[in-house]
Amino acid sequence: MNMKKIFLYIVIAAIAVSCKPEIEDFVPSKGDADFSKYVSLGNSITAGYMDGALYKSGQEFAYPNILAKQFKLVGGGEFVQPVVNSEIGVLPGKMILGYKTDCAGVTALSPLLATGTLDASTISYTVNNLGVPGAKSFHLLTPGYGSLNPYYKRFATNLATSKVIDEVAKVNPNFFTLWIGNNDVLTYATSGGAIDSITNPAAYQVYMTNIIAALKANGAKGAVATIPDITSIPFFTTVPYNALVLKDINQVNALNAAYHPVNVVLQSFGLDTLAFRLGANAFVIEDPTSPLPAPYKFRQIKSTELITLTVPRDSISCKGWGSQKPIPHRFVLDNSEITAIKSAVSSYNTTITSLANSNGLALVDINKYFSDAKSGIYFDGIKFSSAFITGGLFSLDGVHPSARGQAIIANYFIKAINAKYNAQIPYVNINDYPGLKFP
């Protein structure tokens, strides 16, 4: 081999070595925070509620429990949960995926109620996970809330006098996570605005100020999360507004004829008339705000309005709901209700952001992340979205995250905590957590 070729090989080898990337070892670090005593405060998502229930394995996949395991890599201590010893849960309602035959004889994959023995135990030990399903912001400050809430009842120090926020002092945390406010609009929304009310944003600001002050009383650092736009979760987006599909022209003609007298009345009031055609049609819904007298308080739903996941499908398929009979308003969110919900959530998030900044806390913008999920997000090579069942982010109740959804939320918290406190807490591998179990 001549000298020119030898020289060429040496140059190529040198270039190859110089282009080899340098990989720095990732060394977990707590940064400026102390995770030795961690407490989480929130509602059902914090507790690990999923598939319509708070059950044993779901609780194990709660994002605070996932966080606590990662915190242990940087000096974190034990994280105790108010353990549920049943795979069915504390109260009835757990759903599993199975096959259901509807009133029309069509068999399809569907959430079904699980059966088994519930856990009626109470907890006598101090817990770190203070997530309470059903809790609103002010409930955390309400004396005797344990006598009103069956989940807090399990670990409340005193049913008659204790407040959820009082349980924090028993842990005396160095670090906390706080995510509260979803239920301040959710219970109103899931009932179609028929029951409950939205927490006043000004009052919410007062509640949050007091909650954060109590959490920081002994100098603890922490992270606080924003409230997502709940109208974008599967509970409200799964049933299309125009899912009334008519394939028979005789049925179309019969509906148009039946509603003709109604349309005459509607026209006299300058209101939109009802019309049906072959193919997809907007459902007929109750409208309590209509200026018409009681027999005529209904209309076709607008494309911007929402039908809840809990609307009885058999009633639509076999009892004429949405066509011959209006869908009851408790299964519908109209535009005015949607506007009220969005306005409140926006105000809540302004409060959360301001309090996080003024108190030197990490801000976890769950609202943005959930918004991104509408078009799809990727984690560990898997695409997730907010689509019901197939999207992978939400459990079978259409409201609460799945196990993988909880793991993703944990990573969002880790990202914000690392950035705020100069920490290097390792992220979790989403593939380590189970997806929905198919029959």
Side-chain angles (χ1 to χ4, degrees), residues 243-262:
L244 175 61
V245 180
L246 302 177
K247 300 179 180 179
D248 184 346
I249 189 61
N250 294 320
Q251 187 180 14
V252 172
N253 292 337
L255 283 171
N256 283 327
Y259 280 106
H260 176 69
V262 177

Side-chain angles (χ1 to χ4, degrees), residues 390-413:
T390 59
L393 274 178
F394 287 87
S395 68
L396 294 176
D397 57 31
V399 174
H400 299 89
S402 63
R404 287 184 171 181
Q406 289 273 9
I408 289 171
I409 289 170
N411 275 346
Y412 287 144
F413 269 87

Side-chain angles (χ1 to χ4, degrees), residues 45-388:
I45 299 179
T46 300
Y49 193 106
M50 62 181 71
D51 299 321
L54 180 62
Y55 59 94
K56 184 175 178 60
S57 59
Q59 183 185 52
E60 292 171 358
F61 296 129
Y63 77 85
N65 199 42
I66 296 173
L67 281 177
K69 291 178 181 178
Q70 301 308 105
F71 290 165
K72 281 189 176 182
L73 302 175
V74 293
E78 292 302 311
F79 186 79
V80 179
Q81 301 202 93
V83 174
V84 176
N85 292 303
S86 167
E87 276 300 308
I88 301 302
V90 176
L91 295 179
K94 183 186 176 182
M95 289 175 276
I96 57 175
L97 205 54
Y99 290 97
K100 179 182 179 182
T101 301
D102 67 12
C103 59
V106 177
T107 300
L109 201 63
S110 175
L112 307 174
L113 278 178
T115 58
T117 304
L118 297 171
D119 183 357
S121 64
T122 56
I123 305 301
S124 59
Y125 47 82
T126 298
V127 299
N128 298 71
N129 191 340
L130 301 177
V132 179
K136 298 182 181 183
S137 56
F138 58 88
H139 287 148
L140 303 185
L141 304 166
T142 302
Y145 185 54
S147 63
L148 303 174
N149 185 297
Y151 299 100
Y152 179 41
K153 178 181 179 180
R154 299 181 72 244
F155 64 89
T157 301
N158 186 301
L159 292 181
T161 61
S162 291
K163 296 176 283 188
V164 179
I165 194 66
D166 292 340
E167 310 294 340
V168 173
K170 294 166 65 177
V171 179
N172 189 23
N174 307 112
F175 196 87
F176 65 85
T177 56
L178 173 64
W179 191 12
I180 192 73
N182 303 60
N183 288 332
D184 290 70
V185 290
L186 184 64
T187 49
Y188 168 86
T190 54
S191 69
I195 61 173
D196 211 350
S197 59
I198 297 172
T199 302
N200 181 283
Y204 178 81
Q205 182 178 22
V206 174
Y207 303 142
M208 285 294 288
T209 300
N210 290 336
I211 291 168
I212 289 176
L215 286 166
K216 289 190 62 184
N218 292 328
K221 296 179 179 179
V224 59
T226 59
I227 309 304
D229 174 10
I230 62 165
T231 63
S232 65
I233 63 178
F235 189 89
F236 298 105
T237 61
T238 300
V239 181
Y241 81 97
N242 62 346
L244 175 61
V245 180
L246 302 177
K247 300 179 180 179
D248 184 346
I249 189 61
N250 294 320
Q251 187 180 14
V252 172
N253 292 337
L255 283 171
N256 283 327
Y259 280 106
H260 176 69
V262 177
N263 284 338
V264 172
V265 176
L266 291 172
Q267 286 176 327
S268 69
F269 278 82
L271 300 174
D272 293 339
T273 56
L274 291 83
F276 302 89
R277 61 180 184 275
L278 287 173
N281 291 266
F283 283 118
V284 179
I285 62 169
E286 284 183 350
D287 183 5
T289 65
S290 171
L292 300 184
Y296 303 104
K297 286 185 177 294
F298 56 81
R299 59 176 172 81
Q300 283 180 292
I301 191 170
K302 294 178 173 60
S303 62
T304 51
E305 297 175 323
L306 303 170
I307 298 174
T308 68
L309 186 62
T310 49
V311 65
R313 308 298 178 88
D314 281 358
S315 295
I316 291 174
S317 300
C318 301
K319 296 182 181 180
W321 278 30
S323 54
Q324 301 169 45
K325 301 176 182 178
I327 294 175
H329 189 70
R330 66 182 181 275
F331 298 111
V332 177
L333 275 182
D334 64 31
N335 281 330
S336 64
E337 291 162 340
I338 293 170
T339 297
I341 290 166
K342 287 180 176 289
S343 176
V345 169
S346 178
S347 294
Y348 295 169
N349 286 337
T350 297
T351 290
I352 291 167
T353 302
S354 175
L355 288 172
N357 291 335
S358 62
N359 285 278
L361 305 174
L363 177 67
V364 189
D365 196 354
I366 297 293
N367 184 42
K368 178 185 183 303
Y369 297 137
F370 271 42
S371 177
D372 293 343
K374 287 187 287 187
S375 57
I377 52 178
Y378 286 87
F379 280 92
D380 297 334
I382 302 175
K383 183 179 180 180
F384 294 90
S385 75
S386 53
F388 187 51

